[in-house]
Amino acid sequence: MSTMKRVSLETENVEKTRAFGEKLAQSLHLGDVVLLQGPLGAGKTALTQGIGLGLGLDSNVTSPTFILVAKHTTADGSIALYHADLYRLSDPFEVADLHLGEQTEDAVLVVEWPERAFDELPSEHLLIMIEPDYDHQERRRLTCVASGARYEQLLTGLET
Ligand SMILES: Nc1ncnc2c1ncn2[C@@H]1O[C@H](COP(=O)(O)OP(=O)(O)O)[C@@H](O)[C@H]1O
Ligand SMILES: [Mg+2]
């Protein structure tokens, strides 16, 4: 029986969360899927910004307002990040229509609010849950959970 691999950490401010995203990006491969769960204002977009910095993207990651998925690439086009925010999703089947898993085989996929359409997203992924700390305004607890051998390996790499 395999146990799910988990890694927990705390960040003291938004810069530390971005820095963790940057570090995570160093270990990401094209085709990887990262799901970010947490309440509004938890820091999901901030973490995605860090991942974008780490990947060397040409454009800044922002909170998509009306679009479900934004695509960012590096200047030479060699690396793409698909940033999905499913907050406003009304019907999970809208995500099925996007074929996110297939479209992003050669890119990194980051999804905010994955719980809106969990069954439509790749079952192998790295899930990062971000929780505010109500005693410390700027502190967040990040819990990373790997689903699948690839992501267990990724988390093992992050620990060392
Ligand atoms: N440790 C922290 N990590 C991430 N964001 C933090 C932290 N402390 C404070 N913040 C603030 O919380 C907000 C997070 O916003 P955002 O990343 O858009 O959240 P989400 O995408 O989860 O709704 C930002 O205003 C950021 O400055
Ligand atoms: Mg967001």
Side-chain angles (χ1 to χ4, degrees):
M1 209 181 80
S2 76
T3 52
M4 271 200 184
K5 188 164 182 61
R6 272 176 190 255
V7 169
S8 286
L9 60 133
E10 281 185 358
T11 61
E12 294 302 320
N13 53 48
V14 65
E15 288 79 19
K16 293 274 169 59
T17 296
R18 284 206 193 93
F20 174 70
E22 259 190 279
K23 181 183 164 193
L24 173 63
Q26 307 310 317
S27 303
L28 289 175
H29 297 169
L30 299 182
D32 281 347
V33 178
V34 181
L35 308 181
L36 302 181
Q37 225 173 340
L40 268 182
K44 302 180 292 298
T45 299
L47 183 55
T48 311
Q49 287 166 344
I51 292 172
L53 276 173
L55 294 175
L57 299 180
D58 211 25
S59 50
N60 290 327
V61 168
T62 56
S63 285
T65 314
F66 295 110
I67 45 165
L68 285 179
V69 193
K71 184 184 180 185
H72 303 269
T73 56
T74 51
D76 67 1
S78 62
I79 296 172
L81 169 73
Y82 284 85
H83 176 210
D85 187 331
L86 307 183
Y87 183 65
R88 287 180 180 76
L89 193 73
S90 48
D91 180 348
F93 291 108
E94 284 177 52
V95 171
D97 287 343
L98 294 173
H99 300 286
L100 275 179
E102 293 147 54
Q103 253 204 66
T104 61
E105 263 169 16
D106 299 320
V108 172
L109 171 63
V110 175
V111 184
E112 298 188 38
W113 296 96
E115 61 270 46
R116 294 276 198 271
F118 213 78
D119 291 341
E120 310 303 329
L121 295 169
S123 57
E124 298 210 347
H125 54 248
L126 180 68
L127 172 67
I128 304 179
M129 294 176 284
I130 311 177
E131 296 163 275
D133 179 331
Y134 295 101
D135 296 325
H136 304 269
Q137 251 203 337
E138 293 196 88
R139 187 176 294 170
R140 303 289 188 269
R141 169 157 289 273
L142 278 58
T143 306
C144 309
V145 184
S147 294
R150 157 68 193 135
Y151 299 95
E152 290 187 8
Q153 180 197 44
L154 177 75
L155 274 191
T156 304
L158 277 183
E159 280 175 317
T160 53

